């Protein structure tokens, strides 16, 4: 390989060091049949000295045989691989090409531009950070070019180079260049590109491809290669929330249980709190394991294995996130779909839907519209054919953890597989989750407690926490609510803090007032349960009769009494709010346990002994009770 | 006050690393461009202000630390991608195998497998399709490495070919390769009912490979249908196959020859000595230097066995693999030679030289 780098001959170790620290860029080239795309890539390979002499000899021979470029070497022959296309003189699939400079290694997805090959361009765009759109200066912005720009934007490519080619044919006429640039910028206003760079080139002669040409002195920007070497594509990844789709559970022996996967965004540190979707379980990162040694920190694109502080059940298909920003999960989506198979899409048919690490059954329940790729208008249709793009609703057999494609290409993308042939027949980009409420029509039904609850994918209940002051009611109730929220449930906590300051402001702590306090709490809880919420009431509620009153109001089915059992001396020794001290000093009257009785519940549904269990364990027991008794449908999916 | 002192020390350190001016940082941390200057001059602030500023500073420090990590090199990218691919196969397929051809690409692939499943052992066996004409040293190296890594090694030799004594000298290179290599591979895959086989092929090796998928589908007859390949987007890989169908999976698809060598050098990966130059006995046959590896080598009256400093750029069947004269006996020297070479690595192989589309036909028929 004719790397004309003096370092190789003089100091190969220094050369290796330079090349070991190279960065990495994937880009896609798109253009119509005769825009000169293969010639451009051939030129990049040729000019960056990536071609062996024996390859060149073969190409020279073939160039003469085919006569496409007169006596000159047809550089396109370097990249047009398959026999069929060599005969037809066109590229018919995605080809990947590799070259590198001292600064970067490049992977080029070379994709064809004709209408029927939208799917190939989509393939190349799906992993590209930059798109190089070729425009033939003679014809300006064609329908094809618009289509290419639309597809790369749809697939999330944010940076575009408009390589205006064949400028040698108009002697590098600046007005031609400017007109095309203006046209393109106007057209692409709504395509969401972060950056558009226009470069006048001649792929055939190499002007402005690797070095700036003196035939276009008016052009002040970078050469194409210079741009590609310097464009910064890593800048967003760091701030994104941490996502690790679990690929494989690493279990070499009983003492090691690791979760292997490639980080799709963000960073993770040892000690970070994590949440697992869909179970909602939480833990902390114990180790970040790699073959080369454990790490303290790992970031996007790294393939790692995590071990956790707690023994929690995680399997392939789960997603590990940091607890401050867990992934959403849902079983109904709106998505943009590109169909890739000759057999058209059948709405309602069951397909396999595959995310980066999970496969579920799914059907396309409703095709909202098809995109006319020529003018991007929305067209009503019942199905999608090969290379057609549409917006549709997907219904899955089980929920998946996901991000919107706009936020994360790797956790927002899906492929659709035919169950009979196992072919990949379509791909999708998730726009957003649909709640059942937003699309299902309820008008012809009477809206009641159960329907409201069903909409929330849960059975409502009143979880009544009773126990001494300082027994741990609020702590456990708050943890429980967080857990339920992680599981996508709808909850509300009623406690002294939010009721005594408003609704019950007029009540004191005499026995009469306490009874009235609990009556009101019972009534408010009843309304909340009727609204379909899992309601948590956390009150000392010392008297059996009042707790029974609340139970009667809700009905046994919806009332779960949870006794937080803490001996008085333990609660008093905790004395978080300093109330016991004040009560002992006589500053507070009627304080339960001191000078007012607490009547221990006889048959609570759940009893928690806080001298034996931590608050988190207590919350877990309650979640298990709810799950086992059918309050959390779909928990295990 | 010591906390203010600590804060100022850390601000200065951060300013130096992040190349930001202290007044910019002051604005960011204290909402006041002169705040830090005042603290330096002995000024005071409330504990709450200081605590907020500390939290912000810690976030910035963490960002900076992370950003250093974000800039993965191209080799780290390639390594992570290959590991992801291997883990996908193990998670999705029932009975995968790694084709181990003993060459440098296989060595890299084996090393990556050790990394991908660490601390577990790679959960699949190695398969070597032995044509009986490999360099002796390759076989020794193969057996030793399999033992060191602790993986099962399956060696398959086409029994019909063996019975007929098929060899390159008697049957010609094309027939030998087809029977002993292509047919042998198919036999082994059928015999053990592997539904996925890792191969070390790279897309940069040859033009028809540039379009091969990473998860490349094969029919029950092991055929590759170029025009009907499964689309492959993002890093979502469709590994669904029916009984009898299989996948060839290429974790090194996006590596180039230089990447392979650079990685071998960086990771200190073992490769057979044949890659390093030493004095070896060779005969010139049709312009190529062929190693006299065993007594089956026909030595005619006009042939002269010479002792030359030679090494090999690729490893295959010894009668079909030409050596190059070279003094390179260290990795850096090999890499230097590779970089300065003017011919591509497959040129030494007889299989590519027939015609432009030959490899594509071979692949459709099931050649790896």
């Amino acid at each position: 390989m004719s790397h004309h780098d003096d370092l190789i001959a003089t100091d190969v170790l220094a050369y290796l060091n330079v090349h070991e620290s190279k960065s990495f860029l994937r880009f896609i080239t798109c253009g119509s049949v005769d825009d000169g795309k293969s010639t451009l890539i051939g030129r990049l390979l040729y000019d960056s000295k990536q071609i062996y002499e024996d390859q060149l000899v073969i190409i020279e021979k073939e160039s003469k045989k085919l006569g496409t470029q007169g006596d000159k070497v047809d550089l396109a022959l370097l990249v047009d691989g398959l026999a069929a296309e060599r005969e037809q003189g066109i590229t018919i699939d995605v080809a990947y090409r590799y070259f590198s400079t001292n600064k970067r290694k490049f992977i080029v997805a070379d994709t064809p531009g004709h209408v029927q090959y939208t799917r190939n361009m989509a393939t190349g765009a799906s992993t590209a950070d930059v798109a190089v759109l070729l425009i033939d200066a003679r014809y300006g912005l064609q329908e094809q070019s618009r289509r290419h720009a639309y597809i790369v934007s749809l697939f999330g490519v944010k940076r575009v180079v408009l390589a205006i080619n064949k400028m040698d044919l108009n002697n590098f006429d600046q007005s031609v260049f400017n007109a095309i640039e203006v046209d393109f910028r106007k057209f692409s206003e709504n395509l969401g590109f972060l950056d558009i760079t226009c470069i006048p080139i001649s792929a055939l002669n190499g002007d402005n491809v690797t070095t700036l040409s003196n035939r276009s002195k008016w052009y002040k920007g970078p050469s194409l290669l210079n741009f590609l070497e310097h464009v910064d594509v890593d800048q967003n990844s760091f701030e994104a929330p941490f996502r690790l789709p679990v690929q494989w559970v690493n279990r070499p022996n009983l003492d090691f249980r690791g979760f292997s996967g490639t980080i799709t965004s963000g960073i993770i540190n040892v000690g970070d709190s994590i949440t697992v979707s869909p179970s909602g379980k939480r833990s902390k990162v114990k180790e970040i394991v790699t073959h080369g040694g454990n790490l303290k920190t790992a970031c996007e694109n790294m393939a790692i294995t995590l071990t956790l502080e707690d023994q929690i059940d995680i399997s392939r298909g789960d997603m590990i996130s940091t607890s401050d920003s867990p992934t959403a999960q849902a079983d109904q989506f709106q998505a943009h779909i590109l169909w890739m198979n000759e057999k058209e899409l059948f709405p309602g048919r069951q397909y396999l839907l595959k995310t980066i690490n999970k496969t579920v059954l799914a059907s396309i329940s409703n095709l909202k519209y098809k995109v006319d790729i020529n003018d991007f208008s929305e067209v009503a249709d019942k199905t999608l054919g090969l290379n057609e793009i549409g917006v549709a609703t997907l219904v899955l057999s089980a929920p998946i953890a996901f991000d919107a494609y706009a936020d994360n290409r790797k956790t927002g993308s899906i492929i659709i597989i035919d169950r009979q042939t196992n072919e990949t027949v379509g791909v999708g980009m998730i726009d957003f989750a649909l709640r059942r409420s937003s699309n299902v029509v309820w008008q012809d039904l009477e809206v009641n407690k159960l329907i409201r609850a069903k909409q929330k994918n849960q059975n409502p209940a009143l979880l009544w926490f009773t126990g001494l002051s300082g027994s741990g009611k609020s702590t456990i109730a708050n943890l429980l609510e967080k857990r339920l929220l992680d599981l996508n449930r709808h909850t509300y906590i009623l406690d002294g803090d939010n009721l005594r300051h408003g609704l019950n402001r007029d009540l004191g702590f005499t026995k009469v007032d306490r009874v009235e306090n609990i009556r009101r709490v019972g009534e408010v809880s009843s309304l909340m349960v009727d609204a379909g919420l899992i309601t948590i009431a956390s009150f000392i509620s010392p008297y059996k009769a009042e707790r029974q009153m609340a139970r009667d109001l809700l009905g046994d089915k919806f009332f779960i009494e949870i006794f937080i059992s803490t001996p008085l001396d333990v609660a008093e020794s905790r004395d978080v709010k300093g109330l016991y001290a004040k009560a002992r000093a006589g500053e507070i009257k009627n304080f339960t346990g001191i000078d007012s009785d607490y009547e221990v519940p006889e048959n609570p549904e759940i009893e928690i002994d806080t001298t034996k269990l931590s608050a988190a364990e207590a919350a877990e027991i309650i979640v298990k009770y709810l799950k086992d008794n059918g309050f959390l449908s779909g928990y295990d999916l | 006050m010591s906390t203010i002192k600590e804060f100022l020390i850390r601000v200065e350190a951060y300013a130096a690393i992040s190349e930001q001016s202290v007044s910019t940082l002051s604005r960011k941390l204290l909402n006041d461009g002169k705040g830090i200057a005042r603290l330096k001059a002995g000024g005071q602030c409330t504990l709450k202000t200081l605590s907020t500023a500390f939290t912000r500073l810690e976030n910035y420090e963490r960002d900076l630390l992370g950003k250093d990590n974000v800039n993965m090199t191209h080799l780290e990218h390639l390594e992570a991608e290959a590991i992801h691919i291997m883990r996908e196969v193990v998670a999705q397929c029932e009975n995968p195998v790694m084709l181990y051809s003993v060459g440098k690409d296989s060595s890299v692939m084996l090393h990556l497998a050790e990394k991908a499943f660490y601390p577990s052992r790679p959960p699949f066996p190695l398969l070597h399709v032995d044509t009986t004409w490999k360099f002796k040293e390759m076989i020794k190296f193969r057996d030793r490495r399999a033992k060191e890594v602790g993986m099962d090694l399956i060696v398959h030799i086409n029994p019909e070919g063996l019975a007929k004594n098929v060899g390159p000298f008697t049957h010609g290179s094309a027939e030998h390769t087809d029977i002993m290599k292509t047919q042998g591979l198919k036999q082994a895959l059928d015999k053990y009912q592997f539904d996925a086989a890792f191969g070390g092929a790279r897309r940069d090796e040859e033009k028809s490979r540039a379009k091969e998928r990473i998860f490349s589908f094969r029919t029950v007859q092991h055929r590759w249908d170029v025009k009907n390949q499964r689309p492959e987007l993002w890093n979502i890989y469709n590994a669904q196959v029916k009984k009898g169908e299989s996948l060839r999976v290429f974790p090194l698809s996006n590596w180039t020859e230089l990447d392979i060598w650079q990685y071998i050098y960086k990771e200190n990966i073992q490769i057979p000595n044949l890659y390093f130059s030493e004095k070896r006995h060779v005969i010139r046959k049709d312009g190529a230097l062929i190693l006299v590896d065993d007594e089956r080598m026909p030595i005619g009256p006009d042939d002269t066995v010479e002792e030359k400093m030679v090494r090999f750029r690729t490893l295959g069947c010894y009668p079909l693999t030409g050596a190059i004269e070279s003094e390179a006996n260290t990795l850096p020297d090999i890499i230097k030679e590779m970089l300065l070479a003017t011919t591509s690595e497959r040129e030494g192989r007889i299989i590519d030289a027939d015609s432009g589309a030959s490899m594509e036909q071979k692949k459709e028929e099931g050649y790896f």
Side-chain angles (χ1 to χ4, degrees):
Chain A
M1 211 177 299
S2 320
H3 285 271
H4 290 312
D5 198 324
D6 292 340
L7 260 186
I8 297 169
T10 54
D11 188 353
V12 71
L13 290 179
Y15 174 88
L16 287 172
N17 280 336
V18 169
H19 280 256
E20 201 175 295
S21 53
K22 275 187 294 197
S23 63
F24 187 74
L25 182 79
R26 297 184 75 127
F27 68 95
I28 176 175
T29 55
C30 344
S32 303
V33 180
D34 289 320
D35 288 345
K37 191 160 43 68
S38 295
T39 310
L40 176 67
I41 297 169
R43 169 64 61 187
L44 284 170
L45 298 178
Y46 184 79
D47 285 0
S48 59
K49 317 283 190 265
Q50 303 283 313
I51 297 162
Y52 288 107
E53 276 177 20
D54 59 335
Q55 290 175 329
L56 206 56
V57 168
I58 296 172
I59 299 298
E60 274 168 4
K61 244 195 293 190
E62 290 196 25
S63 300
K64 275 185 194 133
K65 198 165 85 193
L66 295 168
T68 42
Q69 296 296 340
D71 284 341
K72 279 192 271 188
V73 176
D74 185 354
L75 293 172
L77 290 173
L78 281 169
V79 293
D80 287 343
L82 301 181
E85 73 195 12
R86 245 188 281 169
E87 279 149 29
Q88 294 162 31
I90 50 166
T91 322
I92 58 166
D93 201 332
V94 194
Y96 294 93
R97 292 287 153 198
Y98 306 87
F99 69 98
S100 57
T101 64
N102 286 345
K103 294 192 179 64
R104 263 197 175 148
K105 173 188 167 93
F106 298 93
I107 299 186
V108 193
D110 178 14
T111 61
H114 1 327
V115 191
Q116 65 268 42
Y117 292 112
T118 301
R119 64 172 181 170
N120 294 329
M121 180 168 301
T123 302
S126 74
T127 51
D129 295 313
V130 174
V132 177
L133 297 180
L134 263 111
I135 308 280
D136 187 326
R138 291 171 302 174
Y139 309 121
L141 200 60
Q142 299 287 293
E143 209 174 75
Q144 294 260 32
S145 324
R146 293 196 177 90
R147 192 156 46 223
H148 299 159
Y150 173 73
I151 294 166
V152 296
S153 87
L154 183 66
F155 277 79
V157 180
K158 295 287 177 211
R159 291 178 173 76
V160 167
V161 180
L162 204 64
I164 301 171
N165 193 22
K166 309 201 180 181
M167 287 295 289
D168 50 320
L169 299 179
N170 61 37
N171 291 319
F172 286 84
D173 181 343
Q174 189 177 5
S175 65
V176 173
F177 175 83
N178 287 348
I180 295 171
E181 171 162 5
V182 168
D183 238 16
F184 185 81
R185 285 190 189 276
K186 193 161 164 244
F187 153 75
S188 63
E189 264 171 7
N190 298 319
L191 292 183
F193 295 132
L194 289 178
D195 180 63
I196 297 169
T197 304
C198 300
I199 307 177
I201 65 165
S202 163
L204 195 61
N205 301 318
D207 300 273
N208 297 329
V209 177
T210 51
T211 49
L212 286 175
S213 168
N214 56 17
R215 297 206 284 169
S216 56
K217 291 209 171 69
W218 47 267
Y219 172 70
K220 302 295 177 215
S223 71
L224 178 59
L225 187 64
N226 190 272
F227 174 83
L228 294 171
E229 276 184 327
H230 291 96
V231 58
D232 181 10
V233 291
D234 285 334
Q235 57 200 29
N236 304 323
S237 61
F238 178 73
E239 276 132 35
F242 173 76
R243 300 285 183 257
L244 180 77
V246 177
Q247 275 186 290
W248 187 68
V249 179
N250 196 335
R251 201 96 224 245
N253 54 54
L254 290 173
D255 300 330
F256 186 92
R257 189 176 170 82
F259 307 101
S260 300
T262 307
I263 301 172
T264 54
S265 64
I267 65 163
I268 189 82
N269 302 290
V270 171
D272 282 356
S273 293
I274 58 96
T275 297
V276 182
S277 304
S279 73
K281 295 206 168 94
R282 292 160 164 246
S283 185
K284 284 196 164 88
V285 175
K286 188 175 161 196
E287 300 160 300
I288 302 169
V289 178
T290 74
H291 183 264
N294 289 0
L295 307 174
K296 278 197 191 131
T297 299
C299 64
E300 187 182 353
N301 293 324
M302 289 171 69
I304 53 156
T305 298
L306 291 186
T307 63
L308 303 177
E309 294 283 1
D310 307 278
Q311 291 265 335
I312 55 177
D313 195 26
I314 300 178
S315 48
R316 172 175 169 86
D318 289 351
M319 182 94 75
I320 298 176
S321 316
T322 36
S323 295
D324 51 8
S325 52
T327 52
Q329 52 176 309
D331 58 4
Q332 292 194 20
F333 297 103
Q334 176 176 308
H336 275 74
I337 307 275
L338 164 63
W339 203 248
M340 300 192 130
N341 201 267
E342 267 105 22
K343 271 187 292 176
E344 64 185 21
L345 159 74
F346 285 95
R349 170 182 286 184
Q350 294 253 284
Y351 293 96
L352 290 176
L353 180 149
K354 197 173 182 309
T355 68
I356 187 167
N357 65 337
K358 188 168 185 170
T359 308
V360 296
L361 285 172
S363 62
I364 284 106
S365 66
N366 173 32
L367 183 63
K368 294 177 99 171
Y369 60 83
K370 195 164 93 176
V371 178
D372 182 328
I373 198 155
N374 297 314
D375 57 9
F376 316 123
S377 61
E378 297 170 8
V379 187
D381 207 332
K382 294 222 158 26
T383 184
L384 291 176
L386 177 63
N387 288 312
E388 290 187 330
I389 293 164
V391 172
T393 306
L394 295 160
V395 180
L396 281 56
S397 62
I400 56 167
F402 75 99
D403 292 290
Y405 190 77
D407 296 332
N408 192 327
R409 288 209 281 181
K410 290 170 196 155
T411 51
S413 50
I414 52 168
I415 65 172
I416 300 167
I417 300 170
D418 185 289
R419 294 175 73 196
Q420 268 72 49
T421 64
N422 285 330
E423 286 175 304
T424 302
V425 290
V427 298
M429 290 144 284
I430 297 172
D431 298 323
F432 47 81
L434 296 170
R435 286 195 205 97
R436 285 188 175 85
S437 56
S438 44
N439 269 11
V440 182
V441 182
W442 291 112
Q443 284 91 325
D444 54 347
L445 291 166
E446 191 205 335
V447 179
N448 59 29
K449 185 196 298 189
L450 290 178
I451 284 170
R452 288 189 201 101
K454 199 176 163 203
Q455 169 203 39
K456 299 176 178 65
N457 203 24
Q458 67 191 30
N459 282 324
L462 173 58
L463 306 177
W464 189 282
F465 284 64
T466 173
L468 295 172
S469 175
S471 60
K473 295 184 300 296
S474 299
T475 311
I476 298 171
N478 285 327
L479 273 175
L480 174 66
E481 186 173 46
K482 273 185 205 153
R483 282 285 283 121
L484 291 170
L485 193 75
D486 284 347
L487 292 167
N488 245 329
R489 310 300 156 159
H490 299 248
T491 57
Y492 196 80
I493 293 187
L494 295 168
D495 59 21
D497 285 344
N498 58 17
L499 285 191
R500 286 226 174 242
H501 292 249
L503 182 64
N504 292 353
R505 192 163 45 196
D506 55 334
L507 302 177
F509 289 89
T510 62
K511 180 156 184 179
V512 173
D513 279 357
R514 279 175 181 253
V515 171
E516 171 60 10
N517 180 41
I518 296 305
R519 187 193 70 80
R520 291 184 194 178
V521 170
E523 290 292 351
V524 172
S525 306
S526 173
L527 291 174
M528 293 209 159
V529 168
D530 196 53
L533 299 175
I534 295 175
T535 310
I536 299 164
S538 170
F539 295 91
I540 297 173
S541 48
Y543 308 121
K544 266 179 215 167
E546 279 66 52
R547 299 196 297 260
Q548 187 61 41
M549 181 168 75
R551 184 185 287 271
D552 292 344
L553 201 58
L554 273 292
D556 262 339
K557 203 177 149 192
F558 299 103
F559 187 87
I560 300 165
E561 189 173 12
I562 300 169
F563 175 34
I564 308 300
S565 164
T566 305
L568 179 64
D569 55 335
V570 175
E572 191 173 354
S573 70
R574 289 181 193 157
D575 204 11
V576 190
K577 298 172 190 163
L579 297 175
Y580 282 96
K582 285 187 182 169
R584 290 284 181 201
E587 292 174 40
I588 304 177
K589 294 288 171 206
N590 298 325
F591 192 78
T592 304
I594 307 293
D595 55 354
S596 181
D597 285 337
Y598 179 79
E599 299 171 359
V600 173
E602 278 162 13
N603 289 306
E605 270 77 10
I606 301 171
E607 183 170 345
I608 304 282
D609 182 349
T610 64
T611 59
K612 295 198 176 113
L613 294 170
S614 73
E617 285 163 338
E620 210 52 48
I621 284 171
I622 300 166
V623 170
K624 185 165 186 311
Y625 177 90
L626 293 173
K627 178 195 161 195
D628 291 344
N629 289 279
F631 288 95
L632 308 173
S633 48
Y635 173 87
D636 259 338
L637 291 176
Chain B
M1 217 171 119
S2 66
T3 34
I4 287 181
K5 199 167 151 196
E6 185 200 337
F7 176 69
L8 290 174
I9 291 169
R10 275 167 64 179
V11 166
E12 297 222 327
Y14 179 78
I17 301 167
S18 67
E19 298 178 343
Q20 295 184 62
S21 72
V22 171
S23 65
T24 306
L25 278 176
S26 182
R27 216 166 37 245
K28 286 182 181 173
L29 299 171
L30 296 165
N31 300 326
D32 175 4
K34 294 198 176 108
I36 288 173
R38 264 199 298 276
L39 289 177
K40 270 189 191 164
Q44 293 291 324
C45 64
T46 66
L47 282 178
K48 195 171 166 228
T49 307
L50 190 63
S51 149
T52 312
F54 252 121
T55 311
R56 289 178 185 171
L57 179 60
E58 270 161 19
N59 283 337
Y60 283 123
E61 286 170 345
R62 210 169 110 161
D63 278 14
L64 193 71
L65 178 79
K67 271 201 175 105
D68 282 340
N69 289 332
V70 164
N71 291 330
M72 286 166 74
T73 68
H74 74 295
L75 281 178
E76 287 164 342
H77 270 280
L78 292 171
E79 178 189 81
E81 182 190 55
I83 288 173
H84 180 81
I85 291 163
M86 288 182 177
R87 288 171 173 173
E88 254 338 83
V89 169
V90 163
Q92 289 193 59
C93 301
E94 281 176 18
N95 190 19
V97 67
M98 177 169 281
L99 297 181
Y100 183 66
S101 71
V102 202
K104 63 184 194 307
D105 303 293
S106 281
S107 295
V108 167
M109 198 162 57
L110 185 59
H111 182 78
L112 288 166
E114 284 191 89
K115 286 198 160 190
F117 303 99
Y118 176 85
S120 294
R121 239 176 244 147
F124 41 77
L126 299 172
L127 169 65
H128 182 228
V129 179
D130 191 348
T131 63
T132 73
W133 290 90
K134 301 292 175 190
F135 293 94
K136 278 188 302 222
E137 191 198 316
M138 287 170 75
I139 304 299
K140 266 192 235 151
F141 182 85
R142 173 195 77 188
D143 294 343
R144 177 168 63 77
R145 284 300 290 145
K147 203 178 281 174
E148 283 168 0
V149 180
M151 290 169 76
D152 287 335
L153 170 70
I154 299 169
V155 176
H156 180 84
I157 302 175
N158 182 347
E160 293 144 39
L162 197 63
K164 287 184 200 151
N165 244 327
V166 171
F169 296 122
T170 46
H171 294 71
S173 70
E175 200 182 339
H176 165 75
T177 304
D178 178 60
I179 294 174
M180 297 311 286
K181 200 166 170 180
T182 310
Q183 302 305 326
L185 174 63
K186 288 188 204 172
Q187 283 170 354
L189 295 176
D190 287 342
K191 182 174 168 191
Y192 298 97
Q193 308 215 326
F194 293 121
D195 56 353
F198 291 107
R202 292 175 277 113
R203 285 182 180 141
D204 86 318
E205 278 178 71
E206 200 272 339
K207 272 191 290 189
S208 78
R209 288 210 201 267
K211 293 175 185 188
E212 176 114 35
R213 303 294 188 259
I214 290 173
F215 280 55
S216 190
F217 177 78
R218 294 294 190 274
T219 64
V220 176
Q221 289 80 34
H222 303 285
R223 285 188 75 89
W224 180 54
D225 185 354
V226 191
K227 289 177 197 70
N228 200 14
Q229 300 194 77
R230 290 178 178 173
E232 203 163 74
L233 285 86
W234 302 289
N235 48 357
I236 307 182
Y237 300 106
N238 174 359
Q240 302 274 335
V241 293
K242 292 181 203 162
K243 202 170 158 39
E245 297 169 344
S246 61
L247 296 165
R248 305 281 168 91
V249 182
F250 304 107
L252 306 181
S253 285
N254 287 327
W255 297 54
T256 61
E257 191 183 7
L258 177 58
D259 297 330
I260 294 284
W261 281 117
Q262 187 125 34
Y263 192 69
I264 288 171
Y265 175 67
K266 175 173 168 257
E267 301 277 309
N268 203 9
I269 297 170
Q270 298 185 45
I271 51 170
N273 266 329
L274 293 159
Y275 286 108
F276 300 95
S277 226
E278 59 182 54
K279 286 213 153 113
R280 294 185 168 97
H281 292 285
V282 290
I283 289 181
R284 197 170 286 279
K285 290 246 179 213
D286 303 327
L289 290 172
I290 305 296
L291 184 78
V292 185
D293 197 48
D294 59 34
E295 69 293 343
R296 291 176 295 179
M297 178 86 178
I299 301 171
D302 299 335
D303 292 330
T304 46
V305 179
E306 298 167 86
E307 196 183 53
K308 284 183 185 290
M309 274 296 279
V310 293
R311 62 180 199 89
F312 297 86
R313 293 177 61 188
T314 62
L315 299 182
C317 296
Y318 81 82
L320 300 176
T321 310
I324 53 165
E325 290 191 64
S326 163
E327 297 294 322
N329 55 9
T330 64
L331 263 183
D333 282 349
I334 290 175
I335 296 173
K336 180 171 162 180
E337 209 170 80
M338 190 263 305
L339 290 169
L340 297 172
T342 54
T343 53
S344 64
E345 65 177 317
R346 291 196 76 89
E347 200 216 25
R349 292 204 186 172
I350 287 136
I351 195 162
D352 288 352
D354 306 346
S355 78
S358 144
M359 183 61 107
E360 191 178 326
Q361 282 159 12
K362 284 245 164 6
K363 283 181 62 190
E364 288 193 0
E365 288 155 17
Y367 178 75
F368 225 83

